[in-house]
Amino acid sequence: MDGDRGDLVPLVDLREVDETQVAVVGGKAAHLGGLSRIDGIRVPAGFCVTTAAFRRVRSETPSIDDRLDQLSRLGPDDREAIGTLSAEIRRSIETTAIPDELAGAITRALARFGDEAAYAVRSSATAEDTPTASFAGQQDTYLNVVGPEAVLRHVSRCWASLFTERAVVYRLRNGIDHRTAEMAVVVQQMVFPDAAGILFTADPVSGNRKVATVDASFGLGEALVSGLVNPDVFTVRDGKVVTRAVAAKHRAVAALPGGGTQDVAVDPQRQEQPALTDAQVVRLVRLGRRIEAHFGRPQDIEWCLVDDDFQIVQSRPITTLFPVPAAGDEGNHVYLSVGHQQMMTDAMRPLGLSMWQLTAMAPMLAAGGRLFVDATRLLASPASRAGFLTMAGRDDPLMRDALETLIDRGDFVPTLPDNGGPGRPTTGGASTSIETDPAIVTELIERSEASVAALRRDIATMTGPALFDFLLEAFQEHKRILGEPLNMQAIMAGMEATWWLNDRLHEWLGEKNAADTLTLSAPGNITSEMGLALLDVADEIRPHPEVVAFLHTVEDDGFLDELPKLAGGAEARAVIEAYLDRYGMRGVGEIDITRPRWSERPSTLVPVILDNVRLFEPGAARRRFEQGQQQARQKAKEVLTRLRALPDGQQKADETGRMIDRVRTFVGYREYPKYGIVSRYLVYKQALLGEAERLVRAGVLTDEEDVFYLTFGEFHEVVRSHRVDDELIRQRRDAFRSDQALTPPRVLTSDGEVVTGAYRRDDVPAGALIGVPVSAGTIDGRARVILDMAQADLEAGDILVTTHTDPSWTPLFVGIAGLVTEVGGLMTHGAVIAREYGLPAVVSVLDATRLIRDGQRIRVHGSDGYVEILPGSPAHEEERR
């Protein structure tokens, strides 16, 4: 428009921009420009005041740099300070005069629309309407602005709205630098619609990409956005309106002749009429599909209807939808979350995703920073379906219920002829061929340790592309060890014996979860040993007050080098390093190779060691293990005595005795294969970081951890070529930050639908939180809602409430009285260790960390699978999240 195109141009016509120019015109304008280029899509004419103009005004705004410095030092929860500073910045920008040449350019641009024209003046920030951040509602829009003077005034207001309190908080929460965010302003001809509203090209609730929803009301769309009216809601699938809900629309927002808007009453005869006909709804969705195809992702579209003609006034990506794994075909697919099975539902970086895919026993697909398996074939055959649902139900009833809900619809999962596949799992499965012999477990552990030792030896001299070739072979050995028939039989033997005992003893004796006590202090459980071993570390440190005092001051990972300077410090360092030699490969989120290990960040263990020093007496680990053994022996004796009193009692007792021996032989081994995996992962990681360090020294990478944003194959290519795509790494960082905000579903379809399960129980008290009973007993205590192990602040008798636990959380288990998690099943790690330690536990409690407040008194019913929030407990004692 004025002058040559480029960053310094203050104004540009909307028809001259597209999505590649976000830095110049902001997200909203870039999308509007892109929309105007789509065949058949009408966009109101207008222009954009570019970010160059904003930078000019910001540079002339007094004291803004100082205030931005202050703002950058605040956290998103510092609401009072944010409110004060952001208000000062807005006032400064609004009172800064627009330079004469810019004001003249805007006035000239308005002249072509005529003296009587009205405009919509709309903010267009550079950080909004991106694939990873929509910024919906974060900045301001002004409608029916009449006259050049009013337009100029509202342009200044739009610039200032970059610093509304909600926009500042949003940037802080999303890690966006205030100085990098800039504001352009869109000025468009005002549209005076008969109806307006929002089109979602995917169902915003279920995520189904084949379902579109249309919200519609009379007059301007502000009535709908502001909540002034309940809109009509239409659902469209396959080109047909499948549901409609027509609301009584008593009010509407209308434009005033002299500028501005007001809400007005709707004619009573029109109030219950639909704002759109079905034919108009279908036509609108057809336009929406065209827009979605152009932008390559589901869209949230604002539309206006004028004389039966739709005009589009905004389109932004729907950033809350969970991405769909790429199947490579058009068929229906059912995806199951790997993270819910592995107790790690956090987002993973690309290297972590690809490494798990390369070493996993089953094919996996990545989406939203998480991994999924395709269960469609297992569900398609009635024979394999029955067995699969039984297995799923034992581990995660919510997943099973979601799958059954999907199958019962009859319109998504195909049904294939039975092919003789496996049916309902029983104890007559693959594990029955394995003898109940502790020597088998010993042999398996020795094989695994020998394989890891060989890996360490052979990888030591590998560098460059040869390292990656070696690793690809090592991954095959990794899978061979894990997939050995004897290994799988040993894992299943412990699990199936647990199920057998729980099922039969409930049937014969009315006992719920009898195996929970029978498996206490089972031998050979590497994860429970890890927790008890940290009690032994505390025993060695407790007698040295200087060491204990020093550990209270530790803030970084260099503390081990400082310990020998203290009385008793050499001994303390030796015992901690011995612990790390044995367990240092563990860490939070350990299936993700990019997450830190304890050996890399030993300070993580310091708070837990100090809690053990404070809360326990010497010898606690040995006493605890022996107490568990004694309880298990007493329980076995009691159960067998009661069985012998039943009809056919001796036969029942003999069979149960054999299963008790079997479960105590094999159930501890259930934890070892994961230990073997993460042991190998640390070796892989150290070798890969060595390559990353060499790339940094060669100037190829800026930071070693840049490689975390590459897949294994991409990393291999960078090592080979010594070239890296810095923009790709930046995009991957942004995508990872976006993925972290997403909640992964248990069950996801190829249509994008999130299918949720429910507990269908009526045997719990009203208001109780239902979950899966995984460790028997009932306990009252203070809830400690902890989302980060490093922030744990526990007292004796506390009940840990968290989203999920993996083996790295085990050291906390020795100091708590009970456990509640949002994710988990009967045989997942937290459940296994809770039983080992005799902690009442309920897992898979939906939204537990939101519904239970830190400091509340709760009662955990570990045998019956529910949690009660006790009357009179405080809403919260102290926020410790």
Side-chain angles (χ1 to χ4, degrees):
M1 184 169 280
D2 274 61
D4 297 326
R5 291 291 305 276
D7 268 358
L8 300 180
V9 176
L11 264 62
V12 61
D13 193 286
L14 281 179
R15 292 169 298 185
E16 298 176 13
V17 301
D18 60 25
E19 305 91 308
T20 66
Q21 295 166 270
V22 171
V24 177
V25 297
K28 186 180 283 105
H31 274 70
L32 286 169
L35 285 167
S36 67
R37 294 163 181 254
I38 304 173
D39 185 42
I41 303 298
R42 291 196 59 194
V43 176
F47 59 90
C48 180
V49 183
T50 69
T51 55
F54 170 76
R55 286 194 297 275
R56 166 83 181 274
V57 170
R58 187 173 64 182
S59 70
E60 297 179 5
T61 301
S63 303
I64 194 168
D65 286 335
D66 290 343
R67 292 189 175 107
L68 287 177
D69 287 339
Q70 295 175 54
L71 207 57
S72 66
R73 291 192 288 270
L74 299 176
D77 296 322
D78 296 328
R79 290 302 182 89
E80 185 175 348
I82 289 172
T84 300
L85 273 172
S86 60
E88 291 174 358
I89 293 171
R90 290 196 305 276
R91 280 194 299 272
S92 296
I93 292 174
E94 287 185 33
T95 55
T96 297
I98 297 177
D100 290 343
E101 64 272 24
L102 176 58
I106 294 172
T107 301
R108 289 193 298 275
L110 296 173
R112 69 185 175 100
F113 297 107
D115 294 338
E116 304 300 320
Y119 304 92
V121 181
R122 316 177 73 194
S123 306
S124 181
T126 54
E128 72 177 319
D129 295 349
T130 68
T132 58
S134 77
F135 264 68
Q138 299 302 310
Q139 281 95 34
D140 291 345
T141 288
Y142 301 96
L143 300 179
N144 198 32
V145 179
V146 178
E149 184 178 338
V151 169
L152 291 171
R153 187 167 62 251
H154 285 87
V155 166
S156 290
R157 289 181 178 176
C158 284
W159 286 331
S161 74
L162 186 63
F163 297 98
T164 61
E165 184 175 346
R166 62 185 181 273
V168 168
V169 170
Y170 191 92
R171 286 197 292 274
L172 289 172
R173 292 198 187 282
N174 285 275
I176 299 170
D177 187 341
H178 300 300
R179 293 181 183 278
T180 64
E182 297 182 331
M183 181 69 79
V185 181
V186 176
V187 181
Q188 285 179 286
Q189 276 191 294
M190 183 66 190
V191 175
F192 302 101
D194 304 310
I198 299 171
L199 160 64
F200 295 97
T201 64
D203 187 326
V205 177
S206 74
N208 196 321
R209 271 49 165 193
K210 291 188 175 179
V211 174
T213 64
V214 175
D215 292 2
S217 63
F218 294 126
L220 293 167
E222 302 312 295
L224 188 156
V225 174
S226 66
L228 181 64
V229 298
N230 291 323
D232 299 337
V233 181
F234 303 86
T235 303
V236 177
R237 180 167 188 150
D238 298 328
K240 296 179 182 178
V241 175
V242 292
T243 66
R244 69 180 61 76
V246 178
K249 299 170 287 296
H250 300 287
R251 312 291 296 178
V253 173
L256 294 171
T261 63
Q262 69 175 13
D263 65 276
V264 297
V266 175
D267 186 331
Q269 294 183 338
R270 296 186 65 210
Q271 288 176 1
E272 298 191 14
Q273 292 180 2
L276 297 176
T277 66
D278 282 7
Q280 288 172 328
V281 170
V282 170
R283 179 154 50 94
L284 174 61
V285 169
R286 202 176 298 129
L287 294 174
R289 293 292 180 213
R290 199 176 296 171
I291 294 169
E292 178 184 67
H294 175 82
F295 289 118
R297 63 182 60 237
Q299 297 288 301
D300 164 357
I301 298 167
E302 295 181 22
W303 55 269
C304 295
L305 180 69
V306 183
D307 298 329
D308 196 35
D309 187 21
F310 286 104
Q311 297 202 38
I312 306 301
V313 295
Q314 187 161 323
S315 183
R316 61 170 72 91
I318 308 175
T319 59
T320 56
L321 299 178
F322 200 89
V324 181
D329 62 44
E330 297 299 319
N332 289 353
H333 294 267
V334 181
Y335 302 110
L336 307 184
S337 166
V338 173
H340 283 79
Q341 302 302 309
Q342 290 294 332
M343 296 292 91
M344 214 292 279
T345 55
D346 298 344
M348 297 168 68
R349 296 170 180 84
L351 185 61
L353 290 167
S354 65
M355 288 289 286
W356 193 259
Q357 287 173 302
L358 287 165
T359 54
M361 299 301 294
M364 295 181 182
L365 300 166
R370 278 77 171 189
L371 291 167
F372 295 84
V373 293
D374 188 342
T376 313
R377 291 181 66 84
L378 285 168
L379 296 170
S381 166
S384 62
R385 176 190 301 166
F388 183 72
L389 289 175
T390 298
M391 290 288 289
R394 286 192 183 277
D395 204 40
D396 189 341
L398 290 173
M399 184 174 285
R400 173 174 180 155
D401 188 76
L403 291 172
E404 288 179 331
T405 298
L406 192 59
I407 291 166
D408 289 345
R409 287 187 200 165
D411 62 352
F412 190 84
V413 178
T415 299
L416 302 177
D418 287 345
N419 55 7
R424 177 186 174 90
T426 67
T427 53
S431 70
T432 56
S433 61
I434 190 173
E435 296 180 23
T436 303
D437 182 358
I440 293 173
V441 172
T442 302
E443 178 188 349
L444 287 168
I445 291 173
E446 288 175 350
R447 287 186 196 176
S448 177
E449 290 180 345
S451 177
V452 173
L455 172 66
R456 286 198 187 98
R457 181 189 66 241
D458 296 342
I459 207 171
T461 58
M462 295 291 178
T463 60
L467 169 66
F468 289 81
D469 295 336
F470 171 83
L471 282 172
L472 289 173
E473 294 179 8
F475 298 160
Q476 296 309 308
E477 168 68 2
H478 178 127
K479 291 193 281 188
R480 187 193 66 76
I481 289 286
L482 192 61
E484 272 190 318
L486 190 65
N487 183 56
M488 301 307 295
Q489 289 167 2
I491 293 170
M492 290 306 300
M495 295 170 66
E496 289 176 352
T498 301
W499 298 333
W500 191 97
L501 287 167
N502 281 338
D503 291 347
R504 295 299 186 273
L505 295 181
H506 185 260
E507 176 187 346
W508 293 336
L509 300 177
E511 286 255 3
K512 286 185 177 179
N513 302 318
D516 293 0
T517 305
L518 293 168
T519 56
L520 285 170
S521 296
N525 187 317
I526 188 72
T527 308
S528 67
E529 289 172 4
M530 177 177 72
L532 296 177
L534 207 59
L535 287 175
D536 292 335
V537 171
D539 285 353
E540 296 295 325
I541 289 174
R542 192 180 292 108
H544 305 294
E546 280 189 48
V547 172
V548 173
F550 170 73
L551 291 179
H552 278 286
T553 69
V554 166
E555 294 182 354
D556 59 50
D557 296 308
F559 73 96
L560 288 173
D561 294 332
E562 300 298 316
L563 280 174
K565 301 174 184 177
L566 308 171
E571 295 90 332
R573 174 174 170 166
V575 73
I576 294 172
E577 287 183 336
Y579 185 88
L580 292 172
D581 286 344
R582 177 67 168 155
Y583 304 110
M585 74 293 292
R586 312 229 76 148
V588 173
E590 61 193 12
I591 71 168
D592 181 356
I593 199 170
T594 71
R595 298 281 288 269
R597 313 284 134 171
W598 289 342
S599 58
E600 298 169 322
R601 198 167 291 174
S603 59
T604 304
L605 293 173
V606 170
V608 189
I609 293 171
L610 289 172
D611 281 347
N612 289 348
V613 168
R614 178 171 53 91
L615 297 175
F616 295 93
E617 295 296 323
R622 176 181 50 78
R623 288 194 303 275
R624 188 170 195 136
F625 188 77
E626 290 174 351
Q627 182 182 14
Q629 284 185 316
Q630 183 178 0
Q631 287 178 262
R633 284 194 294 266
Q634 289 174 343
K635 184 66 176 179
K637 183 178 179 180
E638 172 211 326
V639 163
L640 295 176
T641 299
R642 292 173 61 193
L643 286 173
R644 292 187 185 103
L646 299 177
D648 300 321
Q650 189 59 49
Q651 180 181 340
K652 290 183 173 71
D654 290 346
E655 195 173 2
T656 300
R658 288 192 294 272
M659 281 298 173
I660 291 173
D661 288 343
R662 194 166 180 80
V663 80
R664 291 196 66 80
T665 296
F666 290 112
V667 78
Y669 181 71
R670 165 72 177 79
E671 291 292 295
Y672 193 86
K674 182 74 170 290
Y675 174 83
I677 289 171
V678 297
S679 295
R680 298 179 73 91
Y681 261 40
L682 180 59
V683 180
Y684 302 153
K685 182 176 186 179
Q686 289 170 337
L688 290 171
L689 284 179
E691 284 304 306
E693 184 181 352
R694 282 186 277 277
L695 290 170
V696 170
R697 288 201 302 266
V700 178
L701 295 177
T702 304
D703 185 89
E704 289 178 23
E705 293 193 358
D706 285 350
V707 299
F708 291 169
Y709 299 93
L710 302 173
T711 66
F712 180 84
E714 291 166 345
F715 189 1
H716 188 177
E717 177 59 24
V718 170
V719 169
R720 188 195 64 78
S721 67
H722 267 220
R723 289 195 300 270
V724 69
D725 185 345
D726 292 327
E727 177 61 19
L728 175 65
I729 290 174
R730 188 195 65 75
Q731 290 173 1
R732 294 273 178 81
R733 286 183 187 275
D734 290 344
F736 175 66
R737 185 167 57 242
S738 175
D739 290 341
Q740 287 177 301
L742 297 173
T743 300
R746 282 175 164 81
V747 178
L748 179 69
T749 75
S750 49
D751 287 350
E753 181 181 6
V754 173
V755 187
T756 56
Y759 292 110
R760 306 187 187 280
R761 294 175 56 185
D762 54 10
D763 59 341
V764 299
L769 308 180
I770 302 173
V772 178
V774 296
S775 186
T778 301
I779 190 72
D780 294 7
R782 179 178 61 170
R784 272 307 190 216
V785 181
I786 297 172
L787 303 182
D788 180 354
M789 175 183 162
Q791 303 302 316
D793 184 7
L794 296 166
E795 299 289 342
D798 283 348
I799 297 170
L800 173 62
V801 181
T802 189
T803 52
H804 55 266
T805 64
D806 60 16
S808 71
W809 287 69
T810 301
L812 293 184
F813 283 26
V814 299
I816 60 175
L819 174 70
V820 179
T821 68
E822 294 181 345
V823 177
L826 185 64
M827 297 308 297
T828 48
H829 303 284
V832 171
I833 304 307
R835 291 194 292 273
E836 282 273 328
Y837 289 171
L839 303 175
V842 181
V843 302
S844 211
V845 180
L846 284 174
D847 296 325
T849 59
R850 182 177 61 84
L851 297 174
I852 299 172
R853 291 292 190 89
D854 188 56
Q856 283 185 316
R857 301 287 299 180
I858 63 174
R859 179 174 296 143
V860 177
H861 295 263
S863 301
D864 297 313
Y866 64 91
V867 179
E868 292 180 282
I869 299 174
L870 299 179
S873 63
H876 58 82
E877 191 176 272
E878 178 185 352
E879 288 296 333
R880 303 195 183 212
R881 301 200 184 196

